[in-house]
Amino acid sequence: MTPVELSRTVLHAVRRAVDQGELSVAVPARAVVTPPGPGGSGDYATNIALQLARPAGRPPLQVAEILRPHLSRTEGVAAVEITGPGFLNIHLDRNAVASLVRDVLDRRGHGLPYGHSDALAGQVLRLRIPYDIRAEVVADAVGRIVASQGGRVEVHHVRPQVTTPGVESHTPGAPGAAGAAGALGAPGERPPLGSDTSDTSDASDASEVHTDLAEPRGSDDLPSPQDRALEEVRVADGNAGPRTADASEPGPRPDAIRPDRQGNAPEPIDLRPVPAPEDPAPLGPDALRWALLHPAAHDRPRITADLLAQRASNPLFRVRYAHARARALTRNAATLGFTGTPGHLDAIASAGLGLATSAVAARGDHSVIAAPFTDPGAPAFTTPDVVPVSDPTTPLLTAISEYPHVLLRAATHRTPDRLARHLVVTADALLAFQHTVLPRGEEKPSAAHRARLALAEAAGTVLAGGLSLLGIDAPEYL
């Protein structure tokens, strides 16, 4: 159960209490659910009782007592405790955790990988990009992510305007107009790929580009072979590579644009991320792609050698290192004679394991390495503002369970930076958790160790899948 789902669960509990006459309040629009703070317990905590106390005319503790049974009876919730002035601390059902881990691991090599779906099946997104390396990389990543959700992307390159004597020059319409109108699906269905568009282009340079894409047209009014010869079209279906239209090809191409429900081809959407300030090629393929994909499209990427450094301040290194650690845990466990098996995860006390995490990580925003490294050959990382965490399992479970939602939003909003940032969150949570996996000293492997190893392997699977969608290698050793 993700924090978003748990927030809905809390609101449903309030609704049930109101419907049964136990509370007389207006059901709030949202409920805040966070990891428990100092003195708290469980996996998540909410202050909804404190929020409703004044309008209900009751003490917060009394409101919490009313809501507790409604929350406790929810599927996926094992227990609910009340702490402090009225905080509700929620313990999740660990059987649901085992099901999540099993789902991730069972999908490896069988059917759709974890996080992939057919939510956008049948939808086609047409992107219109300039001849720029960042636009190329972002469009490629968008194509991979959209394909993971069952959709398809066509990328069209805009060309410089050509002025011929005696022929009126053509300039396209205002940038972004196509994106605003490009709805790809009927209302009430899956979110269309063309929704929630954003455009970073400057209208002042609209006269500097020329596109051969026509106005919206019917399925029988596709471009002529001569028009197609002016376009370079890359179809991103998860497997296909760049394709160039052939003027000698008769009739519509096999990969012709799929019309929408009204018989019109989807309009192209301008994708124009802020260009890189300098040539990123010297960084190499992996660091190059990360440098161009990790920042949001409206942010200028930083092309710096820091992306090649093996240290905690480098998010790319943390993500790739976390994947390598997950693979190393599997190899080390095999040496000790056990394998990962999804099951019950015992609560892990940080004091006994020397675990630590940053204050930022405790809030769920893992921007730094969340635990010291114990491997002799591991880089020496320093973590500022360190505070103990009662159970490092929760942030990792949250990151894994939210991965499918992140992929779908990255596809529908054409934002691969969402995926890149989520991989950093997942990596930091795994690095905080990794020290609980293997037995220590004379300790023998137990069912809890096998369950923790399975969770680490599931996190490694998520990291590998996410890096693959960004076009970045996930190393076995680092």
Side-chain angles (χ1 to χ4, degrees):
M1 184 177 293
T2 68
V4 173
E5 295 169 335
L6 198 54
S7 177
R8 296 194 194 101
T9 297
V10 172
L11 294 179
H12 290 161
V14 175
R15 169 60 65 188
R16 286 193 294 269
V18 171
D19 291 344
Q20 295 177 17
E22 297 173 290
L23 287 176
S24 180
V25 296
V27 179
R30 60 190 295 265
V32 177
V33 175
T34 62
S41 62
D43 298 294
Y44 294 100
T46 177
N47 65 348
I48 190 69
L50 283 75
Q51 179 182 343
L52 298 177
R54 183 181 293 274
R58 298 169 180 262
L61 282 174
Q62 193 176 73
V63 176
E65 288 288 355
I66 293 173
L67 294 178
R68 177 163 61 175
H70 294 288
L71 276 174
S72 300
R73 290 193 291 268
T74 304
E75 183 179 359
V77 174
V80 178
E81 295 181 63
I82 300 174
T83 59
F87 292 102
L88 289 163
N89 291 259
I90 303 169
H91 298 258
L92 297 182
D93 183 359
R94 294 304 181 181
N95 291 327
V97 172
S99 298
L100 171 66
V101 174
R102 187 175 295 107
D103 183 38
V104 177
L105 298 180
D106 287 350
R107 290 194 183 199
R108 295 184 298 186
H110 301 88
L112 286 176
Y114 177 69
H116 292 220
S117 73
D118 59 355
L120 303 179
Q123 297 197 37
V124 180
L125 174 65
R126 297 173 67 202
L127 296 179
R128 181 167 52 195
I129 67 172
Y131 284 98
D132 171 72
I133 185 171
R134 190 182 186 197
E136 296 277 0
V137 170
V138 172
D140 178 73
V142 169
R144 294 166 183 261
I145 296 171
V146 169
S148 76
Q149 303 304 303
R152 185 164 64 88
V153 171
E154 292 184 356
V155 179
H156 299 254
H157 294 79
V158 296
R159 293 179 176 276
Q161 178 180 328
V162 178
T163 303
T164 304
V167 178
E168 182 181 355
S169 62
H170 169 71
T171 59
L184 305 178
E189 296 185 348
R190 298 289 184 179
L193 291 175
S195 63
D196 191 33
T197 62
S198 59
D199 182 33
T200 60
S201 61
D202 188 345
S204 63
D205 63 6
S207 62
E208 299 176 5
V209 298
H210 169 74
T211 176
D212 298 299
L213 298 177
E215 295 297 320
R217 54 202 172 219
S219 59
D220 295 328
D221 187 24
L222 295 171
S224 67
Q226 291 76 18
D227 291 333
R228 292 198 303 272
L230 298 176
E231 295 182 84
E232 287 185 18
V233 180
R234 183 173 66 239
V235 180
D237 61 0
N239 298 310
R243 300 184 62 162
T244 303
D246 184 0
S248 62
E249 181 183 351
R253 302 188 308 274
D255 60 332
I257 299 167
R258 182 191 300 272
D260 63 16
R261 297 179 186 274
Q262 286 73 41
N264 297 320
E267 295 186 11
I269 297 171
D270 286 307
L271 181 66
R272 302 187 66 182
V274 176
E278 57 186 286
D279 182 14
L283 295 177
D286 290 331
L288 178 151
R289 295 184 72 90
W290 184 268
L292 302 180
L293 293 173
H294 183 250
H298 55 76
D299 291 332
R300 187 173 298 279
R302 294 178 63 251
I303 308 303
T304 170
D306 290 343
L307 290 168
L308 303 176
Q310 296 190 6
R311 56 189 179 208
S313 59
N314 180 2
L316 172 60
F317 172 67
R318 297 208 306 275
V319 172
R320 301 177 81 219
Y321 183 78
H323 174 264
R325 287 297 304 148
R327 303 300 300 145
L329 289 172
T330 300
R331 294 191 297 269
N332 293 340
T335 302
L336 296 175
F338 74 99
T339 59
T341 304
H344 181 75
L345 291 163
D346 292 339
I348 304 163
S350 62
L353 293 170
L355 293 178
T357 187
S358 69
V360 176
R363 295 196 304 267
D365 180 13
H366 304 266
S367 58
V368 293
I369 289 292
F373 289 84
T374 55
D375 279 2
F381 285 0
T382 58
T383 306
D385 302 327
V386 172
V387 295
V389 161
S390 57
D391 188 357
T393 306
T394 300
L396 186 56
L397 288 171
T398 300
I400 294 174
S401 62
E402 289 183 342
Y403 178 67
H405 178 69
V406 169
L407 278 187
L408 181 57
R409 287 187 63 83
T412 56
H413 297 285
R414 308 175 305 283
T415 50
D417 56 288
R418 290 177 186 261
L419 173 57
R421 291 194 300 271
H422 187 74
L423 293 182
V424 176
V425 172
T426 306
D428 290 341
L430 175 57
L431 291 170
F433 173 80
Q434 61 164 328
H435 307 283
T436 71
V437 174
L438 299 179
R440 289 171 169 257
E442 299 299 322
E443 193 177 10
K444 300 295 183 183
S446 64
H449 289 111
R450 286 188 279 273
R452 294 173 203 160
L453 176 60
L455 178 58
E457 291 174 336
T461 300
V462 167
L463 292 173
L467 286 172
S468 176
L469 291 176
L470 296 179
I472 298 174
D473 178 57
E476 295 280 318
Y477 300 88
L478 192 62

